[in-house]
Amino acid sequence: MAEYQVLARKYRPKQFRDVVGQEACVTTLLNTLKSKRAHHAYLFSGPRGTGKTTPARIFGKALNCEKLGADFEPCCSCTSCLEIASGSSIDFVEIDGASHRGIDDIRTITESAAFRPQHGHFKIFLIDEVHMLTKEAFNALLKTLEEPPESMKFFFATTEPHKVPETIISRSLRFQLKRIPLASIIKKLTSIAADMKLD
């Protein structure tokens, strides 16, 4: 018997084309991949439930994808993509800023800059709820953002960007995600219901 997977995880977007209601963010990230000029830090902010970590994960997959498509979508089948999708990647590390908020947690991250990525081109750290970091942790992070290693990228996600120090914001490319329009939500739920053969 197949293991049950909650709908939010089963139908979570795996490629840029699957992301609903965040066209400006997706277009900018795709253009970044086309130009091969990725910034060292990105800040994804917006209300709860807008999917801040989703485009960050897809972008991370695309940056490290071994078989990136002509449309700049991650292949979702190479070693790097599969490891990121399963949460087992050494090159893409997701951290909860609420429970790993101290200076020692950030020092562990910045010290790993000495190691090259295992599979992909970059070592990527996604810090969710980044506004929860302590002042000392932000200061330690700032030093790395001021002189970032070429092979290291930071993705920050937060519901409260006003609590993130201006020094961090000014060194990051910022995406303000918006609430998904009702019509888009209905369309997505209808397609999920059809896929599940439900009325």
Side-chain angles (χ1 to χ4, degrees):
M1 186 173 160
E3 186 181 335
Y4 175 74
Q5 194 174 30
V6 295
L7 297 184
R9 289 190 64 197
K10 183 177 180 180
Y11 290 98
R12 183 177 198 156
K14 295 174 178 60
Q15 294 184 303
F16 289 116
R17 66 173 67 100
D18 304 323
V19 177
V20 175
Q22 308 297 349
E23 290 78 12
C25 175
V26 167
T27 300
T28 304
L29 293 176
L30 283 170
N31 286 337
T32 297
L33 293 165
K34 287 174 191 172
S35 66
K36 297 181 179 176
R37 295 176 67 182
H39 199 62
H40 63 277
Y42 293 82
L43 175 64
F44 298 85
S45 59
R48 292 187 193 284
T50 50
K52 294 176 289 297
T53 60
T54 295
R57 282 183 184 157
I58 297 170
F59 187 47
K61 280 200 289 189
L63 285 172
N64 278 344
C65 183
E66 296 159 23
K67 298 182 284 185
L68 192 66
D71 56 358
F72 300 95
E73 292 279 13
C75 71
C76 297
S77 61
C78 68
T79 302
S80 180
C81 283
L82 291 173
E83 286 183 353
I84 291 172
S86 68
S88 61
S89 175
I90 294 173
D91 296 335
F92 187 95
V93 182
E94 190 167 343
I95 298 148
D96 174 24
S99 51
H100 298 87
R101 57 192 305 263
I103 188 170
D104 291 335
D105 297 305
I106 298 302
R107 278 189 181 143
T108 301
I109 293 170
T110 55
E111 284 168 6
S112 71
F115 303 100
R116 299 286 304 162
Q118 186 177 26
H119 291 301
H121 308 288
F122 302 104
K123 201 166 188 70
I124 301 166
F125 292 92
L126 168 56
I127 305 178
D128 195 11
E129 299 301 343
V130 70
H131 65 273
M132 297 290 287
L133 296 184
T134 63
K135 182 182 176 182
E136 293 75 21
F138 274 125
N139 287 337
L141 184 59
L142 182 61
K143 288 177 184 174
T144 304
L145 291 181
E146 285 173 338
E147 295 178 19
E150 281 185 25
S151 61
M152 201 171 198
K153 303 290 180 198
F154 285 97
F155 300 162
F156 307 124
T158 180
T159 51
E160 301 186 57
H162 57 280
K163 292 185 179 178
V164 179
E166 187 57 42
T167 50
I168 301 293
I169 293 174
S170 66
R171 287 166 175 80
S172 307
L173 280 183
R174 185 172 173 185
F175 293 99
Q176 179 66 39
L177 278 69
K178 56 188 180 182
R179 291 195 184 280
I180 302 167
L182 183 60
S184 300
I185 294 173
I186 292 169
K187 185 179 177 183
K188 182 67 176 177
L189 290 175
T190 302
S191 71
I192 290 171
D195 186 60
M196 296 179 69
K197 297 174 176 58
L198 295 171
D199 270 337

